[in-house]
Amino acid sequence: DETDQERTIHVVFPEERNITEIWLYDHPDGEENILNACNFLAGKFFDSTEEKTYGDVIMNFEGNTISLNQNVTNLFSAQNKEEICKWINDYIEYALLRYDEEFGRVDFGFPFLKPYGKYSMRSIAPLCNYEKIHSSFRGSGLLTSAKPQYFIFVDLYKADDIREEINYHDKFITPSVFQWQSPNNMTQDSDRGLDVIENTARHTHLHLFVRKFKEVEGIPQDFIYLGEVSTMPGTAKGDCPVTMNFAIPEVPADLYNDFITDVDRTKVEE
């Protein structure tokens, strides 16, 4: 049996050196989630650029204790420590209020994805406890590196000059049915193909993210999370790519109408 020592995380605060224990019994994924969060705060998943940017403020995480590093601790002994403490408290209060405003007390399960929330590929890495460098969490259309969680990303309207081999025919059939084409190297009888086509039987979780355009006026657009989907039996056709239909949670009318309305972004009314 695991001991209480192994089932807690110690959070050490400066000056008084108080220790707060975070117990990990509250949620079936609680332990994994908190350990992954601690490793994230300690910079374990940072790339070289992020290490240079945040290296002075990343936290120390050893065993089951997480604490501020010496650079940050020194701020609390500075002459303007009261101002610094006020700034930190304000930042924490703002973060808590923002979280409450966006998520309330709803548990969206694992991974923690809010239906119709906006996400970049990169932002999903910490939500699925990805244990590699987070900036590597990217790909073209289908990400399977967090198996059994599969993440599907779709640009509805492609650029006019897109190569034909990646001009996938993804579209809404109805507000609750979506046609998707796999990457052009996937076959129906491959492990990846079977995981997607027979996702229910193979216990694969398919998460669908859609955005209307990749960029608008040069600004990359986030994806909108449409929820966990399942492949409709008998709809898979062809190989390299495979075309299939997903049963999806019914998309709200206003969002659906926006998705299916094409817009010529090259023309501006005079």
Side-chain angles (χ1 to χ4, degrees):
D1 291 341
E2 293 175 307
T3 66
D4 289 347
Q5 180 75 6
E6 294 171 327
R7 296 286 298 173
T8 63
I9 294 294
H10 293 160
V11 183
V12 181
F13 295 95
E15 280 203 337
E16 294 86 359
R17 308 299 294 175
N18 290 334
I19 294 179
T20 298
E21 292 186 345
I22 301 177
W23 290 84
L24 309 177
Y25 293 104
D26 296 333
H27 192 279
D29 298 312
E31 182 170 4
E32 183 180 0
N33 291 345
I34 292 177
L35 290 176
N36 190 272
C38 289
N39 281 317
F40 175 80
L41 293 172
K44 181 178 179 180
F45 310 124
F46 288 175
D47 58 27
S48 57
T49 300
E50 291 165 330
E51 287 177 351
K52 292 179 181 179
T53 303
Y54 303 110
D56 290 339
V57 296
I58 59 176
M59 301 186 77
N60 300 318
F61 183 42
E62 297 182 5
N64 64 338
T65 299
I66 187 165
S67 60
L68 301 176
N69 71 25
Q70 192 61 48
N71 293 324
V72 178
T73 301
N74 289 341
L75 294 175
F76 291 92
S77 59
Q79 291 182 349
N80 59 341
K81 69 175 184 179
E82 290 185 4
E83 181 180 345
I84 292 173
C85 288
K86 182 179 183 300
W87 180 86
I88 292 175
N89 285 331
D90 286 346
Y91 189 87
I92 293 173
E93 286 294 328
Y94 169 75
L96 292 173
L97 288 171
R98 181 177 175 182
Y99 180 93
D100 190 59
E101 177 68 21
E102 185 169 355
F103 302 109
R105 297 295 184 268
V106 179
D107 181 1
F108 294 107
F110 179 82
F112 193 85
L113 295 166
K114 180 181 179 180
Y116 313 116
K118 294 183 177 182
Y119 298 90
S120 65
M121 285 189 185
R122 167 63 183 274
S123 67
I124 296 168
L127 300 179
C128 65
N129 292 341
Y130 188 61
E131 295 186 343
K132 298 180 181 180
I133 301 300
H134 284 180
S135 60
S136 69
F137 193 84
R138 61 182 184 272
S140 178
L142 175 64
L143 296 186
T144 62
S145 51
K147 190 176 181 178
Q149 309 295 333
Y150 279 17
F151 301 92
I152 298 167
F153 298 91
V154 173
D155 294 330
L156 281 179
Y157 299 100
K158 280 70 171 178
D160 293 336
D161 59 353
I162 191 171
R163 303 194 314 275
E164 183 57 33
E165 63 266 26
I166 58 173
N167 187 19
Y168 301 116
H169 300 287
D170 307 314
K171 63 182 180 180
F172 285 94
I173 305 298
T174 71
S176 56
V177 178
F178 188 84
Q179 175 183 292
W180 179 69
Q181 280 195 323
S182 74
N184 58 21
N185 60 354
M186 192 176 92
T187 62
Q188 293 192 43
D189 59 358
S190 65
D191 282 342
R192 185 173 52 154
L194 291 170
D195 280 346
V196 175
I197 296 169
E198 301 178 6
N199 70 291
T200 302
R202 293 170 70 95
H203 306 290
T204 307
H205 300 277
L206 307 178
H207 302 277
L208 179 62
F209 298 80
V210 175
R211 62 184 175 187
K212 197 168 183 178
F213 304 111
K214 182 177 181 179
E215 293 182 347
V216 174
E217 297 183 350
I219 302 174
Q221 301 297 292
D222 287 333
F223 293 91
I224 295 177
Y225 179 54
L226 298 188
E228 188 167 346
V229 305
S230 60
T231 304
M232 300 176 70
T235 63
K237 308 294 181 185
D239 282 315
C240 299
V242 183
T243 303
M244 66 197 76
N245 289 347
F246 291 145
I248 66 176
E250 184 165 347
V251 178
D254 55 345
L255 182 59
Y256 176 73
N257 289 332
D258 180 57
F259 274 141
I260 66 174
T261 303
D262 195 0
V263 175
D264 189 342
R265 291 165 294 156
T266 65
K267 296 180 180 179
V268 179
E269 293 185 3
E270 297 183 356

